[in-house]
């Protein structure tokens, strides 16, 4: 009888331990998934920061007074299908900086793409309004696709 009770106790402990191990395994798996998601989000944020820096650098190269530049409404689109070209990084936004006379010229939209390194930005000269509209429309199209 003692042997039978001893075996029964061993079986109960084994089953209880098995249930505990399954619960513990599920908790560990959930923790690993959460950590992987957090790591992926950090990598995505780092990638977008690097893309943004490249786009801003391209803008700064074109300005008369790059130290005076103020950026706003920056949007980064990483790895998008850009009018038929796959996996393109695009930076859109607006920039204001000083001109040769030392006065701020007002915010102008810009668009930079990684596949050809081209920057679309206007200086307020001839056809600036049309180019501004084109930059805004291009970025609006990307925003629509992102949503």
């Amino acid at each position: 009888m003692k042997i039978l009770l001893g075996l029964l106790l061993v079986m109960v402990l084994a089953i209880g331990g098995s249930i505990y191990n399954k619960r513990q395994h599920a908790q560990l798996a959930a923790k690993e998934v959460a950590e992987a998601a957090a790591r992926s989000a950090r990598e995505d944020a780092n990638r977008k920061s690097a893309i943004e820096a490249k786009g801003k650098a391209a803008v700064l190269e074109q300005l008369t007074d790059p130290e005076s530049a103020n950026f706003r409404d920056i949007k980064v689109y990483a790895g998008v299908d850009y009018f038929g070209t796959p996996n393109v990084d695009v930076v859109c936004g607006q920039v204001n900086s000083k001109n040769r006379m030392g006065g701020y010229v007002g915010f102008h939209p810009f668009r930079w793409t990684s596949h050809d390194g081209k920057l679309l930005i206007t200086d307020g000269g001839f056809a600036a309004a049309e180019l501004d509209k084109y930059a805004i429309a291009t970025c609006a199209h990307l925003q629509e696709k992102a949503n």
Side-chain angles (χ1 to χ4, degrees), residues 69-142:
N70 294 309
F71 291 91
R72 72 177 185 192
D73 299 332
I74 302 295
K75 301 272 190 280
V76 177
Y77 304 96
V80 296
D81 180 8
Y82 184 73
F83 298 101
T85 305
N87 201 27
V88 176
D89 299 327
V90 181
V91 179
C92 297
Q94 295 183 16
V95 64
N96 186 12
S97 66
K98 292 181 180 179
N99 61 15
R100 287 185 178 90
M101 301 279 294
Y104 279 94
V105 296
F107 281 94
H108 291 280
F110 70 89
R111 187 218 61 225
W112 174 83
T113 57
S114 66
H115 77 289
D116 56 8
K118 288 195 177 175
L119 173 69
L120 175 61
I121 187 171
T122 61
D123 60 3
F126 180 73
E130 290 303 313
L131 288 173
D132 285 351
K133 286 180 192 175
Y134 178 70
I136 291 167
T138 302
C139 294
H141 171 75
L142 291 170

Side-chain angles (χ1 to χ4, degrees), residues 44-67:
D44 186 50
N46 289 342
R47 181 168 186 249
K48 284 188 174 184
S49 291
I51 294 166
E52 181 179 335
K54 288 178 185 178
K56 284 181 174 181
V59 171
L60 293 173
E61 287 177 12
Q62 300 301 313
L63 300 178
T64 303
D65 185 356
E67 291 179 5

Side-chain angles (χ1 to χ4, degrees), residues 3-82:
I3 294 175
L4 189 57
L5 285 174
L7 287 173
L8 186 59
L9 181 61
V10 169
M11 288 176 50
V12 168
L13 290 175
I15 292 171
S18 175
I19 292 170
Y20 176 77
N21 284 339
K22 287 180 183 177
R23 186 178 305 134
Q24 190 178 24
H25 180 69
Q27 289 171 344
L28 285 173
K31 183 179 177 183
E32 288 175 6
V33 168
E35 288 173 354
R39 188 171 39 256
S40 177
R42 280 192 306 274
E43 289 170 358
D44 186 50
N46 289 342
R47 181 168 186 249
K48 284 188 174 184
S49 291
I51 294 166
E52 181 179 335
K54 288 178 185 178
K56 284 181 174 181
V59 171
L60 293 173
E61 287 177 12
Q62 300 301 313
L63 300 178
T64 303
D65 185 356
E67 291 179 5
S68 69
N70 294 309
F71 291 91
R72 72 177 185 192
D73 299 332
I74 302 295
K75 301 272 190 280
V76 177
Y77 304 96
V80 296
D81 180 8
Y82 184 73

